[in-house]
Amino acid sequence: MTTRTINLPPTAFSATVRVPGDKSLSHRALICSAMAEGRSEVLGAGPGGDIASTRRVLAALGVELDGASVVSKGVAGWRRPEAVLDCGNSGTTMRLMAGALAAQSFTATLIGDASLNRRPMRRLVPPLEALGARIEVDEDGSPPVTVGGSGPLAGASTSVGIASAQVRSAFELAAVQASGPSEIDSPGGFRDHTERWLEHFGLGRRLTPTRFAVSPGAIPAARYEVPGDPSSAAFVWTLAALRRGSEVTTPDISLNPGRIGFLQIIEGFGAEVEAEVTGTVHGDPVGTVTVRGRGLFGTDVSGELAVAALDELPLVAVLGALGEGVTRVRDARELRSKESDRIVSTVDMIRALGGGAEALEDGFVVIGTGFLDPGEVDSAHDHRIAMAAAVAAAGVDGDVRIQDATIAGISWPGFYEQVEALWS
Ligand code: S3P
């Protein structure tokens, strides 16, 4: 395991940064292309390990992937895989592929690495079984996930108790293959990328902000231009917000409402934010974001805002520790089932750097002192913790050492070099 040392200058910076292609959209573009018959193009897909996992799984099903090109016989022409399908560290690969595979006449088994093999998969079972699919998970609800072999799916109406885009997408990617119409509802705040694309392709309709109707039909071959990832941009937005006088511009970022809760949060901390929509990708907004540092105060995050900033909450802890006042995050119990238990790993990260943080059942409290101390952070094999610790180094007079630092490559290979280059 590599330990990396980060030491960032105490000065302001000004930069324009192009961040890697959006992870959520890259998974969806590759899977939708693979479900379509013919040749699709996925331009600007994320370069990280999770997207490599989706590519590997699709290739094992007979889909031809070569650079941006995806050629497929369509989902009905996928071949029975010769071995279990390894999703690596990627929960999105496992959950979306479980839905995409649910109507197959063959069975397929999805596994992951040690971290993914501990994550909850039972949440997939009721919505996919409602469609008539066969799906099995381990006794304790974790992977392996075995799907398929049920015969044709029927349309169904379902309601899911958690605001999970992955579960909704799994249902929707199965439901387009059913013999009749379907509907899904859940609490709000989730990223609705899949819904927007299905609606754009004429395969679905939004009934209320959370209720979505799926019409069966073939996803067409298409050209996808994947915008930058707001969950990656959030690291450089935070670096700008942390230092009065800093400014960062990130062009061509996904501005899906379920992705940009963090911008509202950093405004709450006192940063200046400008976001301008410049276009759409199949109905999903894309634009330019500029963040300027103006001093930091504590803030509270709860409800749908916590869902719409879920992957960015470790950064909220860093901002809270380096601001003035108390920061509270609630309604974020889902953090417990991410790549690590992110309530524990976030609190541990702040404490390892001498900050004051307390875990709550569904979130955390951080006491802002305006600075952190040099120290060594265990990434808990979680890319977002490793990267948040590197950002925290901006508030430390000295070194931050990050254990298992290369895990950042799951979403952003070259991240540390990019951060260090902001001041050059
Ligand atoms: C994702 C949805 C979210 C998010 C994950 C990616 C997606 O997970 O945390 O990083 O691409 O659909 P849940 O749907 O499990 O909340």
Side-chain angles (χ1 to χ4, degrees):
M1 277 201 300
T2 27
T3 298
R4 185 165 180 130
T5 302
I6 309 281
N7 188 325
L8 299 177
T11 48
F13 69 91
S14 181
T16 296
V17 180
R18 289 208 164 260
V19 303
D22 186 67
K23 202 150 75 72
S24 290
L25 287 170
S26 300
H27 287 298
R28 285 164 173 77
L30 291 166
I31 294 170
C32 287
S33 297
M35 290 176 72
E37 197 180 329
R39 180 171 186 278
S40 294
E41 261 191 304
V42 181
L43 299 154
D50 277 4
I51 302 307
S53 293
T54 287
R55 287 180 179 278
R56 191 173 56 238
V57 167
L58 294 173
L61 296 164
V63 178
E64 290 167 35
L65 299 118
D66 183 11
S69 158
V70 181
V71 178
S72 176
K73 296 193 173 96
V75 65
W78 285 0
R79 69 164 186 239
R80 177 194 302 266
E82 281 160 17
V84 292
L85 299 168
D86 182 0
C87 303
N89 194 243
S90 176
T92 312
T93 306
M94 184 171 282
R95 298 206 179 104
L96 268 56
M97 286 307 299
L101 283 160
Q104 294 295 342
S105 54
F106 57 76
T107 60
T109 297
L110 300 149
I111 56 150
D113 68 5
S115 148
L116 180 53
N117 282 341
R118 284 193 296 270
R119 293 179 63 183
M121 295 297 148
R122 204 187 304 284
R123 53 186 59 187
L124 292 168
V125 174
L128 293 180
E129 279 187 347
L131 295 167
R134 269 175 48 187
I135 168 161
E136 274 173 32
V137 298
D138 203 54
E139 233 165 76
D140 66 359
S142 65
V145 177
T146 299
V147 273
S150 64
L153 304 185
S157 188
T158 195
S159 183
V160 181
I162 45 173
S164 167
Q166 293 180 350
V167 173
R168 291 179 65 102
S169 299
F171 177 85
E172 289 153 3
L173 294 176
V176 290
Q177 304 175 62
S179 57
S182 296
E183 282 184 23
I184 184 160
D185 207 350
S186 76
F190 55 87
R191 58 199 71 195
D192 62 353
H193 302 300
T194 310
E195 285 90 349
R196 283 170 187 259
W197 283 3
L198 291 182
E199 192 157 19
H200 174 84
F201 291 137
L203 296 171
R205 199 160 46 87
R206 189 184 307 270
L207 304 173
T208 71
T210 57
R211 193 166 187 85
F212 191 76
V214 183
S215 318
I219 295 178
R223 184 172 192 271
Y224 298 87
E225 285 183 31
V226 178
D229 195 327
S231 299
S232 297
F235 295 96
V236 292
W237 295 339
T238 301
L239 282 163
L242 282 177
R243 184 133 316 132
R244 195 182 289 275
S246 282
E247 173 173 326
V248 72
T249 297
T250 50
D252 192 29
I253 295 288
S254 170
L255 294 181
N256 181 287
R259 302 298 299 284
I260 52 172
F262 186 64
L263 288 175
Q264 199 178 320
I265 295 171
I266 52 178
E267 269 186 324
F269 271 111
E272 191 181 308
V273 174
E274 269 174 40
E276 189 199 352
V277 176
T278 53
T280 59
V281 176
H282 302 316
D284 206 359
V286 174
T288 300
V289 175
T290 298
V291 174
R292 296 187 189 93
R294 294 272 186 264
L296 282 180
F297 312 96
T299 192
D300 282 346
V301 177
S302 62
E304 287 190 10
L305 186 56
V307 179
L310 197 65
D311 292 342
E312 290 68 69
L313 294 177
L315 288 169
V316 172
V318 172
L319 285 158
L322 296 176
E324 280 170 37
V326 178
T327 291
R328 273 183 212 84
V329 172
R330 305 299 308 261
D331 303 325
R333 176 182 274 277
E334 273 295 302
L335 284 179
R336 295 213 179 264
S337 45
K338 292 297 172 187
E339 287 84 329
S340 63
D341 178 334
R342 275 196 193 141
I343 292 182
V344 171
S345 51
T346 298
V347 166
D348 285 353
M349 165 184 62
I350 298 297
R351 288 187 178 167
L353 300 176
E358 205 68 62
L360 305 173
E361 195 40 40
D362 64 347
F364 49 79
V365 182
V366 177
I367 311 296
T369 54
F371 67 93
L372 288 166
D373 295 332
E376 183 150 333
V377 173
D378 177 2
S379 72
H381 202 57
D382 183 334
H383 57 131
R384 301 208 193 278
I385 298 297
M387 294 155 88
V391 167
V396 173
D397 182 10
D399 290 349
V400 170
R401 287 167 56 76
I402 304 164
Q403 294 168 7
D404 195 4
T406 47
I407 191 70
I410 283 294
S411 55
W412 192 341
F415 169 74
Y416 304 105
E417 292 80 1
Q418 172 65 71
V419 165
E420 284 158 353
L422 289 174
W423 280 266
S424 60

